Structures are given as structure tokens and as C-alpha cells.
Amino acid sequence: MIDARGLRMTPVRRRTLEILLERHGALGAYEILERLSADGFGHQPPVAYRALDFLVENGLAHRIRRLNAFAACQHPGQEHHAAFLICRLCNAVAEIAADKLRATLIASSAATGFDLERTSIEALGLCPACIESAPA
Amino acid sequence: MIDARGLRMTPVRRRTLEILLERHGALGAYEILERLSADGFGHQPPVAYRALDFLVENGLAHRIRRLNAFAACQHPGQEHHAAFLICRLCNAVAEIAADKLRATLIASSAATGFDLERTSIEALGLCPACIESAPA
DNA sequence: CTGTGCGGGTTATAGTATTACATAACGCCT
DNA sequence: AGGCGTTATGTAATACTATAACCCGCACAG
């Protein structure tokens, strides 16, 4: 049960990822927990949080802090750093590449002596669909 | 009680800002609430959250999502957009300019039809002081 | 004055996340 | 195969963060 990269993709973890993939967009930990427990897994928060931590840690999912939620990664397997565009009306989450942004950020922070390890870049606004349907 | 910009800097709000300024770094809403209530203001969460929302809304403080905390703005009065460098050991928060980053982000997101309104850019890592004291 | 809006106080509750501990499964080594 | 250390899963309990809803009072405009 260990894949090429040394990952242990156990049943809870796999199911958690599937749940995230089924939904396009972000899901809260407790929504995920409901589904997991409906599928026979544990009923307590740590069950969901642990699986989610694992997925995030291994680049299979992202945590969207502004929504206190999680979303499946759109480009798993590729080393990449993402930024998220979050619609304030429909809560849709789009993932865009942020490698350049991150490089800039690393440069700026290095200038202050800070050793940057992880970034989280999120933006709030209106998605194309909501711009259509919501007039000025 | 209305300043040049039309801001109502009431006693709770002023005190909240002072509390943030006294501490270099970020403070949770409940820590702030404790101090406010010790100073004779209300004892309930909305007291703190409302004051903080006001300060954030008016560019006098920032919300640090990764820490679920708030910090006084280092450059109040100036229109600017900030990014935050958060030390994972001591939780110190440094504010750096992010106007360029934001411009890049706006450009990228516009390409997808997204109308970007607000950004939150945070990075986790080690501050200079903790790099010193924590060897590899 | 007096009505209106904003600020601030309260109670109550919703929502998010973690600690701590016990048990079970796995991977590895002999 | 058997035993052992490590990792994963499950549970209970609780901590932490945030918001909703309602009331009152004051400042200001009319």
C-alpha cells in the first residue's frame, strides 16, 4: 500500500480525495466528515482533518483559508505552487499557477533575512459566471 | 468624533488599535477581547470582532488568516497592499509591500475573466531571529 | 423636539480545529 | 512465521474562532 513516492494511500485518504474531486469547488472539513462517516469511516473530526492534512501535505489537495475549506489539486503530481481565485458570490475556487509570484515573494523575503517555506496566495472577487448574472 | 476621512474613531476602536500596536506581532480576537474587557469595554466576542473589522476595513489593521489573528498595519494612511511573512516558530509577522505581486495577480486573473477585488498573500517560514537560534 | 442611523452592549449559538488516548494495521527484520 | 517499532484509525472531550439576533442609547439632521 505504498506508492512510488512512498505515499500510503489508504482507504480514508483515497475516499477523501474522491469526495473532493466529485465536487468542483471547495468543501469544509465537516461536510467531508459527514460523507466519510456515511461511507463507514469514523465520525469524529480528526478523521477528516487527518486525511485532509495528508492530502495537502502531499500536494493532492489545497487548503483554502479564506473559506476554511479544502479543494482537490488541479495539477497533482506536478511540482507547482498555486494561487486561488475565490468568487465572493458563488464560492467557486479557481486554481492558477503562482510559481512566478512565489519566486518574487521569495526574493522579497530573502532581502529581509526571512527563510520562506510555504506560501498561501488567495484572491477574492467575482468569477466570470457571477459577473454575467450580477449586474452593476 | 469624525476624522478627516470620515472615520469614526470611537473609544473601543482606538483602544483596539492601541492594543495591536503595543504588541509587535499578531493577536487573536479573544486575546484582544480580554484586554478590552479589562479596560471596561464589553466582554462578548462581537465587541472585539466589530472593532477589528472596522480597523481592517479602513486599512489600520490586517487580518492574518493563517494565524486567525490580527496585526496593526505598519503603513497606515498609505494606499498599499501588503504581504505577510509569518515565522512558524515564534509567530512573528512581518509586513512587506505587495503592490507588484498584486498587479501580477490581477493580470493573471483578468486573463481568466475573474474580477479581482481583494488579495491575501501570506508566507510561512523562519524569521531571521529563529534561523539564528534554531540550527539545522 | 423627534426620527433615523450607527455604535456598542448582551445572550446565545454556529462553525472550525485540536488534544489526548486507545486500538489496529502495516513493514520490516530475524 | 513471529515479534517489534512505526504509522494509521478510531473515539471522547474540549478548545478555539466567529456570527446571528436583539436591544438600547446617543448624535445628528430635519
Side-chain angles (χ1 to χ4, degrees):
Chain A
M1 271 249 196
I2 299 185
D3 88 348
R5 282 160 298 177
L7 297 188
R8 287 166 186 74
M9 186 52 78
T10 62
V12 215
R13 290 168 175 177
R14 181 185 310 284
R15 183 73 193 113
T16 302
L17 182 54
E18 286 169 6
I19 290 169
L20 287 177
L21 287 165
E22 282 163 15
R23 157 92 46 129
H24 290 282
L27 242 59
Y30 279 73
E31 284 179 87
I32 290 164
L33 178 58
E34 270 181 42
R35 305 196 184 199
L36 286 176
S37 76
D39 289 350
F41 297 101
H43 304 254
Q44 306 300 326
V47 171
Y49 281 104
R50 282 194 290 235
L52 288 165
D53 285 349
F54 171 85
L55 295 174
V56 169
E57 202 63 31
N58 294 105
L60 299 169
H62 300 287
R63 182 173 205 147
I64 313 294
R65 299 204 94 96
R66 184 150 223 137
L67 300 176
N68 292 320
F70 300 81
C73 177
Q74 306 291 316
H75 309 288
Q78 304 163 39
E79 251 322 301
H80 70 293
H81 295 278
F84 302 95
L85 307 179
I86 304 162
C87 179
R88 69 171 155 79
L89 291 184
C90 69
N91 278 352
V93 176
E95 177 179 345
I96 65 176
D99 301 271
K100 273 190 190 159
L101 281 170
R102 187 164 194 272
T104 307
L105 201 46
I106 288 178
S108 307
S109 62
T112 74
F114 186 89
D115 176 31
L116 190 152
E117 295 170 350
R118 311 181 60 113
T119 53
S120 98
I121 303 177
E122 302 179 3
L124 197 68
L126 291 179
C127 72
C130 288
I131 291 173
E132 280 300 312
S133 52
Chain B
M1 271 254 196
I2 299 184
D3 89 347
R5 282 161 297 176
L7 297 189
R8 287 165 186 73
M9 186 52 78
T10 62
V12 215
R13 291 168 175 177
R14 181 184 312 284
R15 185 68 192 117
T16 302
L17 181 54
E18 286 169 6
I19 290 168
L20 287 177
L21 286 166
E22 282 163 14
R23 158 89 48 127
H24 290 283
L27 242 59
Y30 280 73
E31 283 179 89
I32 290 164
L33 178 58
E34 269 182 41
R35 306 200 184 197
L36 286 176
S37 78
D39 289 350
F41 297 102
H43 304 254
Q44 306 303 324
V47 171
Y49 282 104
R50 280 194 290 236
L52 289 165
D53 285 349
F54 170 87
L55 295 174
V56 169
E57 203 62 31
N58 293 105
L60 299 168
H62 298 287
R63 182 173 204 147
I64 312 295
R65 301 204 93 97
R66 184 152 223 137
L67 300 176
N68 291 321
F70 300 81
C73 177
Q74 306 291 317
H75 310 286
Q78 304 163 37
E79 251 322 303
H80 71 292
H81 295 277
F84 302 95
L85 306 179
I86 305 162
C87 179
R88 69 171 155 79
L89 291 183
C90 70
N91 278 354
V93 175
E95 178 180 344
I96 65 176
D99 302 270
K100 272 191 189 157
L101 281 170
R102 188 164 192 272
T104 306
L105 201 45
I106 288 178
S108 308
S109 61
T112 75
F114 187 89
D115 176 31
L116 189 152
E117 295 169 350
R118 311 181 60 115
T119 53
S120 98
I121 302 177
E122 302 180 1
L124 197 69
L126 290 178
C127 73
C130 287
I131 291 173
E132 278 301 311
S133 52

